[in-house]
Amino acid sequence: MKFPLTFVLLALASSHAFASYPSPLQDFCVAINDSNSTVLVNGKFCKDPKLAIANDFSFPKFRYPRNTTNLVGFKVTTAFGLVWHFPKAEPNGPFVNQFPGLNTLGIAMTRLDFALHDLNPPHIHPRGTKMLVVVEGMLYVSFVTSNQLNNTLFTKVLTKGDVFVFPQGFIHFQLNIGQANALAFAFLSNQNPGLITIANTFFRSKPLINVDVLTKAFQVDNKLINYLQA
Ligand SMILES: *[C@@H]1O[C@H](CO)[C@@H](O)[C@H](O)[C@H]1NC(C)=O
Ligand SMILES: *[C@@H]1O[C@H](CO)[C@@H](O)[C@H](O)[C@H]1NC(C)=O
Ligand SMILES: *[C@@H]1O[C@H](CO)[C@@H](O)[C@H](O)[C@H]1NC(C)=O
Ligand SMILES: *[C@@H]1O[C@H](CO)[C@@H](O)[C@H](O)[C@H]1NC(C)=O
């Protein structure tokens, strides 16, 4: 009976060892951008490391601000007369799909440009913790803890040079509360951290979620749900 117990303890210990992002098995693995060689399990195929060049590890597109006036599909006027500008700041990357050198390195980055009053709406990165640094302007940032931690709201007002960390998997957002545009960069602890925008999940799914489900879940009138889905 001794052996199985040891085995169970070892299994438990090793499950702890694997509770974090796994270490790469090679020096690097620049992804091959070939739609025919996409691996759907985890990661991408590697370019021959002897053929890697400096440009594989460089991403020049952060030099330029995003066009925050181009808000097609992101501008929402609410029933209360508020206008939300959803910045196209953090759509999907550059994660590994846009930046092949990130493959297997466990890291990604985004640039966030906020026009006046812009909101990066509540969202989740299911596979990555995010660390954000403000470069210009003033942001009101927040995340909400899990049910187990009583859904506590943590908030902070950040100015130039301030850093905030959003733990993996929690709903979080950033709002420009300054008198000018704001600029921030965020670093994520996964080459492909994922993005789930909460409002889209509930009100823009295809097909739409049954109104009865949403009225019960949010304890509101079905007219409001119909309005939000529209
Ligand atoms: C992918 O495969 C298709 C069909 O075999 C081929 O026509 C296409 O050129 C391939 N693409 C690349 C990038 O190799
Ligand atoms: C930004 O987008 C708007 C709307 O599409 C366009 O009118 C404007 O010329 C763009 N500005 C720049 C600098 O590209
Ligand atoms: C990879 O290929 C896709 C589709 O062909 C393209 O949209 C994307 O920009 C490419 N990525 C890189 C880093 O070249
Ligand atoms: C959550 O709320 C319960 C009930 O009020 C309390 O007993 C518990 O300590 C709280 N937990 C945390 C992490 O705040």
Side-chain angles (χ1 to χ4, degrees), residues 66-86:
R66 281 179 186 258
N67 187 345
T68 49
T69 61
N70 185 9
L71 294 164
V72 181
F74 290 82
K75 185 172 171 180
V76 174
T77 307
T78 68
F80 319 104
L82 282 172
V83 178
W84 295 347
H85 290 164
F86 289 0

Side-chain angles (χ1 to χ4, degrees), residues 24-35:
L25 299 174
Q26 65 285 306
D27 289 351
F28 52 74
C29 166
V30 174
I32 295 175
N33 193 23
D34 177 357
S35 49

Side-chain angles (χ1 to χ4, degrees), residues 92-114:
N92 249 320
F95 302 160
V96 67
N97 286 339
Q98 295 82 25
F99 189 169
L102 294 180
N103 196 35
T104 73
L105 297 185
I107 196 166
M109 186 179 173
T110 65
R111 170 177 176 140
L112 297 97
D113 291 279
F114 295 83

Side-chain angles (χ1 to χ4, degrees), residues 121-174:
H123 63 279
I124 293 172
H125 299 292
R127 294 179 296 279
T129 288
K130 169 156 84 187
M131 184 182 257
L132 178 138
V133 56
V134 177
V135 175
E136 292 294 343
M138 187 184 282
L139 292 178
Y140 171 80
V141 303
S142 184
F143 72 85
V144 181
T145 65
S146 64
N147 298 9
Q148 195 180 358
L149 299 175
N150 294 348
N151 304 123
T152 307
L153 177 76
F154 288 95
T155 67
K156 193 83 185 165
V157 172
L158 307 181
T159 56
K160 187 170 176 169
D162 289 348
V163 169
F164 196 82
V165 68
F166 303 89
Q168 175 168 347
F170 288 149
I171 292 181
H172 61 284
F173 60 86
Q174 302 99 30

Side-chain angles (χ1 to χ4, degrees), residues 201-217:
T201 307
F202 286 117
F203 304 115
R204 278 180 162 184
S205 64
K206 294 172 204 66
L208 291 172
I209 297 176
N210 185 302
V211 173
D212 287 345
V213 171
L214 294 177
T215 52
K216 286 195 170 71

